[in-house]
């Protein structure tokens, strides 16, 4: 399972790349990807820790 912090770091990286892009399609894809990573990170934070 991925750590929420790692997902948020990847989302930030995608947003930084999108900010430098001049291609609307690339910006859209990276923005959508960042939003999905942020949603997954939020879901992981809400899940109880099991298997310890």
């Amino acid at each position: 399972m991925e750590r929420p912090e790692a997902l948020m770091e990847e989302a930030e990286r995608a947003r930084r790349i999108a900010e430098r892009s001049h291609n609307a399609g690339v910006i859209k894809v990276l923005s959508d990807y960042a939003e999905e990573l942020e949603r997954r990170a939020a879901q992981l934070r809400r899940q109880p820790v099991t298997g310890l």
Side-chain angles (χ1 to χ4, degrees):
M1 180 185 310
E2 295 185 60
R3 296 176 306 127
E5 299 82 16
L7 294 173
M8 293 303 291
E9 288 171 10
E10 181 68 11
E12 181 58 33
R13 181 174 171 265
R15 289 195 188 282
R16 284 194 310 268
I17 294 169
E19 288 172 1
R20 292 192 303 259
S21 179
H22 299 288
N23 182 311
V26 169
I27 293 168
K28 173 75 171 126
V29 167
L30 288 172
S31 295
D32 290 349
Y33 176 58
E35 288 176 10
E36 179 62 26
L37 289 171
E38 290 165 348
R39 278 193 292 275
R40 288 165 59 192
Q43 287 175 339
L44 287 174
R45 285 188 182 117
R46 289 191 298 266
Q47 289 179 351
V49 176
T50 59
L52 295 177

